[in-house]
Amino acid sequence: MGRSGGRRRDRLRWSKLYTFACFRSSHSNNEAVGGGPAAAGGSAVGGPGFTRVVHCNNSAVHRRKPLKYPTNYISTTKYNILTFLPKAIFEQFRRVANLYFLLTAILSLTPVCPFSAVSMIAPLAFVVGLSMIKEGVEDWRRFMQDMKVNNRKVAVHKGEGDFEYRHWEDLAVGDVVKVEKDQFFPADLLLLSSSYEDGICYVETMNLDGETNLKVKRSLEVTLPLEEDESFKDFQGLIRCEDPNPSLYTFIGNLEYERQIYAIDPFQILLRDSKLRNTSFIYGVVIFTGHDSKVMQNSTESPSKRSTIEKKMDLIIYILFTVLVLISLISSIGFAVRIKYDLPNWWYLQPEKSNKLDDPTRPALSGIFHLITALILYGYLIPISLYVSIELVKVLQAHFINQDLHMFDEDTGNTAQARTSNLNEELGQVHTILSDKTGTLTCNQMDFLKCSIAGVSYGVGSSEVELAAAKQMASGDDGQDIHVQDVWENNEDEIQLVEGVTFSVGRTRKSSIKGFSFEDDRLMQGNWTKEPNSSTILMFFRILAVCHTAIPEVNEATGALTYEAESPDEGAFLVAAREFGFEFFKRTQSSVFVREKFSSSNGPVEREFKILNLLEFNSKRKRMSVILKDEDGQILLFCKGADSIIFDRLAKNGRMIEADTSKHLNDYGEAGLRTLALSYRVLDESEYSSWNAEFLKAKTSIGPDRELQLERVSELIERDLILVGATAVEDKLQSGVPQCIDRLAQAGLKIWVLTGDKMETAINIGYACSLLRQGMRRICLSIPTDDQVAQDANKAAKESLMSQIANGSQMVKLEKDPDAAFALVIDGKALTFALEDDMKHMFLNLAIECASVICCRVSPKQKALVTPSITNP
C-alpha cells in the first residue's frame, strides 16, 4: 500500500462544537507527568491488574519474552487435532445407553456372552462413530468460519511510513493499523487519528451490544498530527494499561508520548468486531489481540450442550436398565435354583460333565454368570437404534434450517446457520418470548410523517398503528374477529366507526423518498408561505435544518446529498427539511450552510449560520441545543428534545401554543409515532458572553464533577424557550411481524413486549403487530396518581396493585370458555411494585395465564430486571 499524501481531509474541528471535547484527556502542558488527567485517570496503572505495556509501532518486542503476548489468531472450535478423539469419546459416553453397550461389548469377549463379539461391538462402533463424525463436521464448519475471520485483511504499518495488507491473524500488539470505512476493527485499538481533522469517528457496535445507533469515538489531541501514512515513520509511544478483561465499557491506561503522559479513557478505544461507519479511515495502535480482546474475553469455550430430550432419554434408560436388572435377577435366581435341585436329575444333560457356568455343586456362581448372560441377552430392552434415529433426524433438521428460504435475509444474502444440531429440538420448547419494540418489532428506520407547528397539525397520512386501531374500532361493534394483517391488504378508503363518522384508512401511499412519508399540500412546494403563521413555520424548518450533528456527503456518481447522522431520527429530520425547501448542504469548521428555496421572494438563497456552541443530546438530558449567529448578527438558541423536558423550560410568553401542541403530541403518541418538541430563544450579546465564559470554564475543567458543572451551565442557557412545534416520525413495523406473532400465538407461545411508550400507544401498537387481537380479554394494571405523602402513596399503590392482580386472577379462573385469551398490560410504575418479593409470585402467576403481556413506560433498568424474574421466578 503506497503513500497517500493527496488524501482528502474532512476539515471539521469538532472540539469547537461538541461538549464532549471537554472530556478530552489532553489539553496543554498541564498533562505532563505528575499532573493533569493522567494522575486522576491512570493512578491505578502499574498496580495489580494494570501491568500491560505496549510499545507503539514496535510489535517485535511483544512477540518474545518477557512480554510474549498472544497472536491475533482466534478459535471458537470445541476440538483440535489432539483433543478430538478423547473429548469426542468422552462426549459419547456421557450417554447412559452408550455406557451400557460399552459394558456389554466388553463382556461379549468373555464365554458368558450368548452372542458373538462382532454382533455387540459393531452396533456400538457404528452409533458412536456416526455421532463423532457429526460432531467433527460441525466443528469443522466452525473452524472454517474462524479461518474466514482470521484471513480478513487490514493495512499495517511495515516501516518507513509504508503500509501493507496483512491477515488479521498476523497482527501483533503494538502494530499501527489503518482501518477504512465499513471495515471491522481487527483487534482492540487505541484511536490515534481519523479522516476528520479533530480525530472523531463513528462506530457501529451491533456485534457487541446489539445497538444499531452509531457511537462517537475520539482520539487524543496530541496524536492528531498523525494524519498521513508518512507521519508514522518515526512514531514511538508507550502505553501502560489494564490487563485483558471482559468489561466493554471501561478502560484505564496512559499514553507516554513525547516525554509527557496522557490519560486514555474508553472514548479512545475501538473494540474488535465493531465496525467503522461514516468515517473514511482511522489510524490506531493494537492494544489487545486475539483472545485477549474484550469481545473474546466475554465469549466462553464452546460448551458440551445436551438437550432436554437427551437428558430425559438418560432418565428413561435408567428406568429401563433397572427393569432389565430386575428381570435378569429373577431369571438368574430361577436358574440357580433349577441348577441346584433339578440339574442332577437331568441325566441327558450329563451333569457330571458340566462346566462352571452350570455347576450344580456351585449354584450361586452359576447364578452370577447367568445374571451377566441375561443382562446381555435381554439387552434389546435398551434401544440403541433410537440414538441413531435421533442423530439422523438432528442432522437433517440442521440441514433444513440452513436451507430454509423463510429464514433467508434478502438484504444481506445470508441464510440461517445451525452451528450445532445438538439443540434443534429445544427450538420447539420455547414457552415465552421477550421482545423490545425498537429495532425488533420495528425497522429502526424513521419516516417523517406528521408535525405540529404553531398549534396546527400537518400531515394527512396514517401510520400503521392508526390503521390497525381504526380497523379494530370498526370491527368492535359487530363483534367479528379481524386479522390485523388484513389492514395492509384492504382496499377500502374509509371505515365507518359510528353512524355518520368515518376515518380514512386508505392504503398508505408508499413514499419514493427514504425517510419522508409526509403528505400535506399546505406545507409542500412553498405553500407554507401562505399560512397565517408563516414566520413560525420558517423558524420550525430552520431548527430542523440547523439543530443537529450530521455531516452531508455528496454521491459522486449521482450528485445527490446524503446525510451521515448519529441517529435515524436526525437523518429523517434533515430529509424532511430538504423536502420542505431547506436543504442542509455544507458544514465547515464553524458554520452550517442551508439552501432555502422559498424563504425569500428573490428565489433560492444560501444562508450561513455560524455555530457558536453545541450542547449534545444524551439519555440523561433528553435534549440537544445549538447556539448560533445568523446573517443578521442575531444570536439564537435552537433546542429540540422530549416534550416534558422542553415544556418545563418554556418562558411565560412561549406557552401560547402549549395546549394545542400537547394535544397533538398525545394524538401522535397514540398513533405509535416518535415525537420531539422544537423551541428557540433569542439571546442578548451580553448574556451570551457571560454564559460562554462560564461554559468554557466548565468545559476546560478537569475532575470528577466536570459533567455536573457542564449540566449546571447548560441549564442556565436552556430556559425561557419559545415553543415552535413538534415532530412525529414513524418507525415502521418490520415486514411480516403481525403474521409472525400470529403464528407464534397459534403455537401457544406467550409473548412479552417491553416498551417505553405510553399505555394508550402501547395498546395501539399491540393491535398493529397482532399482539392484541379481537376477542381478547384485556387486564390493565396501573398505579393511580394522587397527592399523598410518599410513604402513604407507596403503601396505597401496593394495595391498589395487589387488588388489581387479585381481580385479574379471579377473572381468569372464572372464565369458562377454554379458548378465551387474555392480555395483560402494565405500566412501568406498577411493574416496579409487581417485581418486589412480596408481590412477584402473584404477578407472575397472572402473567403466565395471559397469552400476551405488554409492559409500557419501562426503563432500560426495568427491562433488565424482567428477564431474570421470568426465567427464575
Side-chain angles (χ1 to χ4, degrees), residues 302-315:
S302 298
S304 301
K305 298 177 180 177
R306 305 186 71 217
S307 65
T308 304
I309 286 182
E310 200 167 313
K311 294 174 183 176
K312 188 169 289 186
M313 282 176 59
D314 282 353
L315 177 61

Side-chain angles (χ1 to χ4, degrees), residues 528-657:
W528 60 268
T529 57
K530 303 172 187 176
E531 291 289 296
N533 295 298
S534 57
S535 59
T536 306
I537 297 175
L538 173 65
M539 183 63 71
F540 180 91
F541 290 154
R542 281 182 175 169
I543 294 174
L544 287 183
V546 175
C547 188
H548 56 80
T549 60
I551 300 167
E553 285 202 348
V554 179
N555 187 315
E556 296 179 359
T558 63
L561 271 176
T562 58
Y563 300 112
E564 299 193 342
E566 288 187 52
S567 69
D569 303 72
E570 200 166 76
F573 292 152
L574 288 170
V575 171
R578 183 186 66 199
E579 296 304 312
F580 289 134
F582 291 73
E583 184 180 41
F584 162 59
F585 68 94
K586 182 182 178 183
R587 185 190 286 276
T588 64
Q589 182 60 51
S590 58
S591 298
V592 165
F593 293 83
V594 177
R595 189 178 291 117
E596 299 182 356
K597 288 185 180 180
F598 309 109
S599 62
S600 172
S601 58
N602 298 325
V605 293
E606 293 184 358
R607 300 195 187 278
E608 177 184 1
F609 298 91
K610 293 185 177 179
I611 305 299
L612 305 178
N613 304 90
L614 192 147
L615 310 178
E616 64 173 328
F617 180 94
N618 60 44
S619 57
K620 183 179 179 182
R621 282 168 43 79
K622 296 183 180 179
R623 65 189 184 278
M624 77 160 289
S625 300
V626 58
I627 301 174
L628 56 91
K629 182 179 286 188
D630 64 15
E631 293 178 337
D632 298 328
Q634 190 176 38
I635 299 177
L636 299 168
L637 180 143
F638 290 166
C639 184
K640 65 181 181 183
D643 54 277
S644 58
I645 300 295
I646 300 298
F647 287 175
D648 288 343
R649 290 164 173 74
L650 295 178
K652 290 183 180 179
N653 64 340
R655 299 179 178 272
M656 291 181 290
I657 61 171

Side-chain angles (χ1 to χ4, degrees), residues 805-826:
I805 294 175
N807 292 338
S809 300
Q810 192 69 14
M811 185 192 307
V812 174
K813 289 178 182 177
L814 295 177
E815 178 57 51
K816 296 180 180 178
D817 184 359
D819 297 324
F822 291 86
L824 178 65
V825 183
I826 181 171

